[in-house]
Amino acid sequence: MSPIARYFPILQWSKEYNKEALTSDLVAAVIVTIMLIPQSLAYALLAGLPAEMGLYASILPLVAYAIFGTSRALAVGPVAVISLMTAAAVGNLALQGTAEYAAAAIALAFISGLMLTVMGLFRLGFLANFLSHPVIAGFITASGVLIATSQLKHILGVDAHGHNLIDLIGSLIAHLPETNLATLAIGTTATAFLFWVRKGLKPALMSLGLKARLADILAKAGPVAAVAATTLVAWGFNLSDAGVRIVGDVPKGLPPFALPSFSADIWSSLFVSALLISIIGFVESVSVAQTLAAKKRQRIVPNQELIGLGTSNIAAAISGGYPVTGGFARSVVNFDAGAETPAAGAFTAIGIALAALLLTPLLFFLPKATLAATIIVAVLSLVDFSILPKTWNYSKVDFMAVAATIFLTLGFGVEVGVSAGVLLSLGLFLYKTSRPHVAEVGLVPGTQHFRNILRHKVETHPSIVTLRIDESLYFANARFLEDYLYDRVVCDEPIKNVVLMCSAVNEIDMSALESLEEINRRLDEMGISLHLSEVKGPVMDRLQRSHFLEDLTGRVYLSQFDAMKALTPQPSPVSAA
């Protein structure tokens, strides 16, 4: 593959593009466009931004991803969690006026885009692996609860504020007497209708004789139907005079192209938030992309995905949008609708652009309660508290991490929650690897295999202690191994040899090497020889570049069986009488 094609995946799939792929992509684009229009408007309001910015964030970013992305089905754009994080990040700046607030959100997209692109160019996609799945699941679940709760103010037609669950609920209760009944009627009706649409509309249409594909398309258009119906009702009965809050004037036309703000104060204030948004967005996007790619035996390139998402966010920033990433729901819809290539995203962008040009005047009377209902129905599918009993049964440590992430996100807000999630993931990694599993092993009779003496009936010799280390050795666990080994050999047994079985050791860093040197020296003072067995090639290469092997009191054996055979004392021959 040429270097250019590696960074521009469009050059690869476009060579095989044909009429069948074009047809499939166009059909998928129509379905996703229908779904994305109300979602884009709703998520922009969730982020505290003008509704049109949701449309702007759904045009050029889709084109950028079609050029630089590697997933055939991922649909990028505004998503609920990133919208909430954007609201939290920009809200902390205490800016005056919608224009300054929007400018900060645009700058946030640009900073995030630069971060993701640089990470991709330097192949740093592996960093996302340090954010554990249980912590991510806990954060998304808590965020879903926060988002749904934050939208209840639009369902009730009241003013309520807060960045955590306690503040939101307290504010909602305080303003409950101000509930607007007309808004409540629209909001609850739209919510109930959208919940029914997700599960019940397709079977109902098929029972009327419609084909499955057509019924599926019409079911996906459910949110559009809710938007159209409630807009007509609000217009026909002039409900804005009755206190129903409407979207109002949405500028008509394509996104305005301009560079984002380069204010040093804004950039420094948003840097950490942009990093967190980049990490969460990348993890969410790659998880979706890998899941969908596996279904068609395709593959994605995580480092190139960083570039794809990075350029998408830069594209959002220069076209009046805010941070975007790959959305789970719309990507699944895109996949199920038959998208064959990223061109489906580019066609979707054309559809959104046409909507921005032609349909925005029709949105003037759209009740905000309808958009809130769209968000609530979408995000509640993300809430999954079953992760708590699952982790409790499997790993108490992971359970504590999930529970802490959920509690901190709900109690202190999304930024504290995601920051704690990152720190917990790193902390869990360090905790687990700093106390590696070390097993004393013996020979399984009649074989050349060695197993844990506490789990199997094995053969051992009192003069030999064999310890199998089930983790790479590095600075965080080097001292643990020292303490473990000294505790084992300080006893009344006639120990003469200690063998470290290194079959699971993939790395020995400098700190661990110094610990091994100290272990070798102290065992020698005790009259005990230190040996190694089953050392992997790359590890041996590095050991050979040090003085450790020269100073080693014992030997390095190819296999543990060889070590056992060589070190086991042979019985003395019986002398003839």
Side-chain angles (χ1 to χ4, degrees):
M1 183 190 302
S2 69
I4 295 178
R6 180 182 301 141
Y7 292 110
F8 292 86
I10 188 174
L11 299 177
Q12 299 174 47
W13 58 260
S14 61
K15 295 177 182 178
E16 305 169 359
Y17 206 65
N18 52 40
K19 186 177 180 180
E20 289 76 15
L22 173 63
T23 303
S24 297
D25 287 344
L26 285 172
V27 172
V30 170
I31 296 174
V32 174
T33 300
I34 292 171
M35 177 184 184
L36 192 52
I37 290 172
Q39 276 195 355
S40 298
L41 298 168
Y43 291 151
L45 294 181
L46 172 60
L49 297 165
E52 65 270 14
M53 287 186 68
L55 295 176
Y56 298 161
S58 304
I59 299 175
L60 204 57
L62 287 164
V63 177
Y65 186 82
I67 297 171
F68 296 99
T70 61
S71 171
R72 301 292 181 98
L74 190 70
V76 301
V79 300
V81 173
I82 300 302
S83 298
L84 180 64
M85 294 179 70
T86 298
V90 180
N92 289 336
L93 301 184
L95 298 171
Q96 301 296 323
T98 303
E100 289 186 25
Y101 188 98
I106 292 170
L108 184 64
F110 192 77
I111 300 169
S112 176
L114 286 179
M115 287 179 175
L116 289 164
T117 304
V118 170
M119 288 172 67
L121 292 173
F122 285 93
R123 301 183 177 277
L124 299 179
F126 69 90
L127 293 176
N129 297 334
F130 289 101
L131 202 57
S132 69
H133 172 72
V135 166
I136 284 289
F139 171 70
I140 290 177
T141 290
S143 297
V145 173
L146 271 182
I147 292 168
T149 306
S150 71
Q151 295 308 295
L152 291 178
K153 64 182 180 182
H154 295 301
I155 300 294
L156 299 172
V158 301
D159 288 317
H161 304 283
H163 291 299
N164 60 65
L165 190 62
I166 297 172
D167 291 345
L168 281 170
I169 292 177
S171 184
L172 284 169
I173 292 173
H175 292 88
L176 198 59
E178 303 166 14
T179 299
N180 182 279
L181 295 181
T183 301
L184 180 62
I186 289 176
T188 53
T189 302
T191 303
F193 172 74
L194 291 173
F195 269 120
W196 174 75
V197 161
R198 292 177 76 90
K199 296 289 180 70
L201 182 55
K202 182 178 177 180
L205 293 173
M206 291 178 65
S207 67
L208 296 176
L210 272 67
K211 294 183 178 180
R213 185 69 177 271
L214 180 58
D216 187 58
I217 294 174
L218 292 175
K220 296 294 189 299
V224 176
V227 166
T230 54
T231 301
L232 285 172
V233 169
W235 170 72
F237 292 94
N238 201 20
L239 293 181
S240 59
D241 290 344
V244 174
R245 297 176 185 181
I246 57 177
V247 170
D249 186 41
V250 178
K252 180 180 178 181
L254 293 174
F257 292 96
L259 290 175
S261 169
F262 290 96
S263 166
D265 290 339
I266 290 180
W267 277 54
S268 60
S269 300
L270 293 177
F271 186 85
V272 174
S273 297
L275 180 61
L276 296 175
I277 285 174
S278 299
I279 293 172
I280 293 296
F282 175 62
V283 171
E284 181 179 352
S285 179
V286 166
S287 299
V288 175
Q290 288 177 332
T291 300
L292 297 179
K295 292 183 178 182
K296 287 191 175 182
R297 297 189 178 183
Q298 297 168 349
R299 63 184 295 271
I300 67 165
V301 183
N303 287 313
Q304 183 60 34
E305 283 298 291
L306 281 167
I307 296 174
L309 290 175
T311 53
S312 295
N313 276 281
I314 292 172
I318 65 175
S319 59
Y322 69 101
V324 298
T325 192
F328 175 76
R330 74 176 67 105
S331 295
V332 171
V333 170
N334 196 38
F335 179 87
D336 291 341
E340 291 290 335
T341 72
F347 296 142
T348 300
I350 294 173
I352 301 295
L354 290 173
L357 280 170
L358 305 175
L359 302 181
T360 50
L362 303 178
L363 300 174
F364 185 92
F365 287 98
L366 171 60
K368 290 186 176 181
T370 304
L371 295 179
T374 302
I375 294 174
I376 290 172
V377 173
V379 300
L380 287 183
S381 64
L382 303 175
V383 176
D384 180 18
F385 284 106
S386 68
I387 189 69
L388 290 171
K390 286 177 183 176
T391 51
W392 175 263
N393 292 328
Y394 188 76
S395 169
K396 300 299 187 290
V397 174
D398 283 337
F399 169 81
M400 292 301 294
V402 173
T405 303
I406 291 175
F407 171 77
L408 290 170
T409 303
L410 293 177
F412 298 94
V414 65
E415 287 208 334
V416 172
V418 71
S419 300
V422 172
L423 294 175
L424 280 169
S425 294
L426 293 173
L428 282 174
F429 170 77
L430 291 173
Y431 175 78
K432 291 176 181 177
T433 56
S434 68
R435 301 177 60 83
H437 180 258
V438 178
E440 185 170 347
V441 298
L443 179 65
V444 178
T447 73
Q448 296 185 9
H449 300 293
F450 287 78
R451 294 292 184 269
N452 193 328
I453 64 173
L454 301 178
R455 294 175 178 269
H456 302 271
K457 292 182 179 180
V458 293
E459 298 174 355
T460 60
H461 194 279
S463 68
I464 305 172
V465 172
T466 296
L467 299 178
R468 189 190 69 219
I469 308 163
D470 295 335
E471 184 64 66
S472 291
L473 297 177
Y474 73 118
F475 65 90
N477 61 23
R479 187 58 184 269
F480 175 84
L481 178 63
E482 283 190 56
D483 294 340
Y484 186 98
L485 197 150
Y486 297 150
D487 289 342
R488 175 62 185 86
V489 299
V490 177
C491 60
D492 296 330
E493 297 176 20
I495 300 172
K496 296 297 181 185
N497 296 284
V498 169
V499 184
L500 297 182
M501 187 175 172
C502 302
S503 54
V505 177
N506 297 317
E507 174 79 13
I508 297 177
D509 75 356
M510 195 65 195
S511 298
L513 177 63
E514 292 177 356
S515 288
L516 289 176
E517 291 173 343
E518 181 64 14
I519 289 170
N520 183 59
R521 185 186 66 78
R522 291 186 63 177
L523 289 181
D524 187 36
E525 292 175 352
M526 300 166 67
I528 300 173
S529 297
L530 176 66
H531 309 266
L532 307 179
S533 73
E534 302 189 13
V535 180
K536 294 183 176 180
V539 177
M540 179 61 78
D541 291 341
R542 299 184 70 174
L543 291 179
Q544 288 173 339
R545 294 198 294 269
S546 71
H547 293 287
F548 175 70
L549 296 180
E550 298 174 12
D551 300 331
L552 187 65
T553 55
R555 292 178 53 193
V556 179
Y557 293 93
L558 184 63
S559 72
Q560 181 57 34
F561 183 75
D562 291 341
M564 189 75 172
K565 187 167 61 173
L567 298 175
T568 301
Q570 300 299 317
S572 302
V574 179
S575 58

